């Protein structure tokens, strides 16, 4: 599943990643109470840095869309 990141230069990358992740959650690409792909996998897919990815994930955790479970993110 490839979503375009970085094509809109007016929106910060972490916000673009966040929007794609929200879309996947809403479309039930990932089932509740399951682990999402690893940081490394998402970094490669979106071609973003760990900092950018963590910023997006952190916002989703704050919004209650993801839960941190030890070192893993979970719906």
């Amino acid at each position: 599943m490839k979503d375009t990141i970085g094509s809109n230069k007016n929106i910060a990358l972490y916000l673009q990643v966040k929007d794609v992740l929200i879309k996947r959650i809403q479309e039930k690409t990932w089932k509740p109470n399951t682990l999402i792909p690893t940081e490394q996998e998402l970094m490669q897919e979106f071609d973003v840095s760990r900092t950018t990815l963590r910023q997006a994930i952190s916002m989703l955790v704050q919004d209650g869309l993801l839960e941190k479970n030890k070192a893993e993110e979970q719906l």
Side-chain angles (χ1 to χ4, degrees), residues 14-73:
Y14 75 94
L15 292 174
Q16 293 179 56
V17 171
K18 177 185 164 225
D19 288 345
V20 170
L21 296 178
I22 287 172
K23 178 180 158 192
R24 291 182 185 178
I25 291 167
Q26 291 172 338
E27 292 176 348
K28 306 228 186 284
T29 300
W30 303 309
K31 296 183 188 321
N33 299 313
T34 60
L35 298 178
I36 66 172
T38 66
E39 273 186 359
Q40 193 64 37
E41 291 169 332
L42 292 171
M43 286 168 42
Q44 288 177 337
E45 178 182 345
F46 296 129
D47 193 25
V48 296
S49 70
R50 175 171 273 121
T51 302
T52 298
L53 182 64
R54 285 185 175 178
Q55 208 169 359
I57 288 174
S58 177
M59 293 180 77
L60 296 177
V61 170
Q62 288 176 352
D63 292 344
L65 295 172
L66 291 178
E67 291 180 0
K68 286 258 186 188
N69 183 2
K70 298 183 184 173
E72 302 164 334
E73 284 73 39

